[in-house]
């Protein structure tokens, strides 16, 4: 039996062992389990609590303006009488929706671009120069220009941020792919006459997926932060839809008289980003090649 046939025959078993080791490492990683659990809890609270409680975060009530936290309003009310607790949950739902949408779009496009940019150097040179050009623009500035051209909406925010984060994902995937192309198993597959599709999508992709998962986790956190910054300056999610960014904008003139309008959405934003980064740091340790050895 040749060396090539042995390598090919043993590959599925090796893949299963790697998957099992990754899962075991995730269970053994406090950052991954705590961060993932808290992130799931935040997501469920933002999605289910307003729906199950039939909460209204949009109707104004001039007789209940700027009420301090109480049993009826755990986080007080804002400057037009809306319940801050409900608005924080709805703002979290909007921010998480934007973050997940950006991850889905930029993650998939960046993965494909990075994979083919590494495997086909001539095409890769052109793709990477385009990515360098996009990365030259600050994320917020590019998003503002994009929204100014196509109109302010949640869809525009998602598309603008997706374009901004594609180069970051592509560069990480390209680097990981180029590293794997120097491995012996790629040479074995080439000598066996395997096509580029099989080499890329049935072999290399299995060893690149870890780095990609870690990167899109941090893109998730960055997208939420950038969306909040855009909404704060009035270029993000439009009013009256709740967003942590536009809630902070509304609270800027009430920092001393109604501190709860600033503190609660600010803490929610900081806590969510912290939890996502904790989860990402844990995944980085799990998918670290040196740890798997």
């Amino acid at each position: 039996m040749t060396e090539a046939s042995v390598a090919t025959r043993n590959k599925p078993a090796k893949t299963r062992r790697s998957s099992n080791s990754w899962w075991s490492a995730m269970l053994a990683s406090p950052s991954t389990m705590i961060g993932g659990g808290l992130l799931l809890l935040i997501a469920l609270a933002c999605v289910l609590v307003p729906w199950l409680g039939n909460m209204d975060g949009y109707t104004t009530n001039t007789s209940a303006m700027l009420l301090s936290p109480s049993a009826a309003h755990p986080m007080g009310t804002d400057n037009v009488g809306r319940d801050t607790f409900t608005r924080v949950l709805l703002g979290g739902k909007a921010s998480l929706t934007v973050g997940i949408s950006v991850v889905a779009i930029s993650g998939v496009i960046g993965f494909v671009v990075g994979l083919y940019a590494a495997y086909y150097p001539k095409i890769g040179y052109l793709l990477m120069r385009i990515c360098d050009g996009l990365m030259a623009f600050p994320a917020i500035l590019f998003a503002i220009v994009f929204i100014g051209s196509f109109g302010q909406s949640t869809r525009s925010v998602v598309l603008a941020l997706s374009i901004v984060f594609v180069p970051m994902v592509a560069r990480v995937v390209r680097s990981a792919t180029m590293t794997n192309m120097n491995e012996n198993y790629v040479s074995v597959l080439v000598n066996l006459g395997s096509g580029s599709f099989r080499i890329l999508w049935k072999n290399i992709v299995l060893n690149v997926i870890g780095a990609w998962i870690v990167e899109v986790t941090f893109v998730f956190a960055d997208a939420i932060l950038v969306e909040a910054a855009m909404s704060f300056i009035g270029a993000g999610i439009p009013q009256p839809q709740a967003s942590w960014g536009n809630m902070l904008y509304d609270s800027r003139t009430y920092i001393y008289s109604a501190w709860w309008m600033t503190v609660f959405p600010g803490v929610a934003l900081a806590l969510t980003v912290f939890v996502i980064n904790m989860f990402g740091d844990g995944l980085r340790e799990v998918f670290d090649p040196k740890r798997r050895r």
Side-chain angles (χ1 to χ4, degrees):
M1 184 178 293
T2 65
E3 181 181 356
S5 60
V6 171
T8 304
R9 183 177 181 180
N10 290 337
K11 186 170 182 56
K14 181 179 179 181
T15 302
R16 287 194 296 270
R17 288 196 298 270
S18 298
S19 300
N20 292 333
S21 66
W22 285 347
W23 180 247
S24 299
M26 288 181 65
L27 294 177
S29 172
S31 297
T32 306
M33 298 306 296
I34 295 174
L38 290 176
L39 180 58
L40 180 61
L41 183 63
I42 291 172
L44 290 176
C46 291
V47 174
L48 295 181
V49 172
W51 178 62
L52 293 176
N54 195 24
M55 297 178 175
D56 180 13
Y58 301 101
T59 303
T60 60
N61 183 3
T62 55
S63 63
M65 296 189 302
L66 301 177
L67 297 179
S68 60
S70 62
H73 302 284
M75 295 184 181
T77 60
D78 63 9
N79 57 315
V80 291
R82 297 172 297 192
D83 183 63
T84 303
F85 177 64
T86 303
R87 297 281 293 176
V88 167
L89 292 177
L90 293 175
K93 180 181 177 181
S95 295
L96 291 173
T97 300
V98 169
I100 292 173
S101 301
V102 170
V103 164
I105 297 173
S106 64
V108 172
I109 297 176
F111 189 86
V112 175
V113 169
L115 204 64
Y116 281 96
Y119 197 81
Y120 299 104
K122 293 182 179 180
I123 298 176
Y125 179 81
L126 176 61
L127 292 175
M128 288 300 103
R129 297 299 72 78
I130 295 175
C131 289
D132 290 341
L134 290 174
M135 292 182 69
F137 293 95
I140 295 180
L141 178 60
F142 179 88
I144 291 174
V145 173
F146 185 92
I147 290 173
S149 302
F150 295 96
Q152 184 177 3
S153 65
T154 302
R155 180 181 299 178
S156 296
V157 173
V158 170
L159 291 177
L161 296 183
S162 297
I163 295 172
V164 167
F165 289 114
V166 163
M168 301 180 185
V169 179
R171 291 176 71 90
V172 170
V173 174
R174 177 176 176 268
S175 177
T177 303
M178 292 181 68
T179 300
N180 278 273
M181 286 176 61
N182 295 323
E183 298 292 336
N184 291 331
Y185 75 89
V186 176
S187 300
V188 170
L189 290 169
V190 171
N191 292 332
L192 286 172
S194 300
S196 59
F197 182 85
R198 178 182 177 182
I199 294 174
L200 282 174
W201 293 101
K202 292 187 178 181
N203 296 274
I204 291 180
V205 69
L206 299 176
N207 297 298
V208 174
I209 195 73
W212 175 77
I213 291 174
V214 173
E215 180 62 20
V216 296
T217 302
F218 292 116
V219 166
F220 187 16
D222 290 342
I224 290 176
L225 277 176
V226 175
E227 179 276 318
M230 292 173 58
S231 296
F232 181 81
I233 62 178
I237 295 177
Q239 293 274 17
Q241 185 175 353
S243 167
W244 288 331
N246 59 37
M247 291 180 69
L248 290 172
Y249 175 81
D250 291 339
S251 70
R252 71 195 187 285
T253 57
Y254 302 96
I255 294 177
Y256 298 106
S257 59
W259 56 266
W260 53 89
M261 287 183 62
T262 302
V263 170
F264 290 118
V267 169
L269 174 62
L271 178 62
T272 301
V273 173
F274 173 76
V275 166
I276 296 173
N277 284 330
M278 178 191 294
F279 183 57
D281 286 335
L283 290 178
R284 179 183 291 170
E285 296 176 0
V286 169
F287 291 109
D288 186 358
K290 295 180 180 179
R291 177 171 181 147
R292 298 204 306 266
R293 291 177 181 175

